Amino acid sequence: MARQSLSASEQGIRQAKQAFRRTELTQALLAAELGLKTRYSIWKFFKGESVELYIFKAICFRLRLDWEEI
């Protein structure tokens, strides 16, 4: 079965970057908080590339964003 993935829109990326700056986290720290081994998925998210659905939702939840709007 194929894994579901999502990518952020340009406007969503801008909103996410603003929210990320407010957290004062690094991509590595955010990845660690989400239980990811590397920051690669975080980097892909902020570049607008596809990431797995559960990672996409987790990033949005941590940044206090509505994942459906991003």
Side-chain angles (χ1 to χ4, degrees), residues 4-8 45 48-53 56-57 67:
Q4 293 181 331
S5 62
L6 288 176
S7 57
F45 174 87
E49 297 181 17
S50 293
V51 296
E52 290 184 49
L53 180 61
F56 189 95
K57 287 181 176 181
W67 69 272

Side-chain angles (χ1 to χ4, degrees), residues 2-68:
R3 293 184 177 191
Q4 293 181 331
S5 62
L6 288 176
S7 57
S9 67
E10 287 185 36
Q11 182 178 352
I13 293 168
R14 284 192 297 275
Q15 290 177 329
K17 284 182 177 181
Q18 287 177 341
F20 180 68
R21 282 191 290 273
R22 286 191 298 266
T23 67
E24 299 182 6
L25 291 171
T26 64
Q27 288 185 9
L29 288 172
L30 178 57
E33 276 193 19
L34 300 179
L36 304 173
K37 293 181 181 183
T38 68
R39 65 180 185 89
Y40 184 64
S41 293
I42 307 298
W43 178 81
K44 285 177 60 176
F45 174 87
F46 285 114
K47 290 296 226 178
E49 297 181 17
S50 293
V51 296
E52 290 184 49
L53 180 61
Y54 80 95
I55 294 172
F56 189 95
K57 287 181 176 181
I59 293 169
C60 291
F61 179 78
R62 176 57 181 89
L63 298 178
R64 296 183 178 168
L65 299 168
D66 181 353
W67 69 272
E68 293 175 319

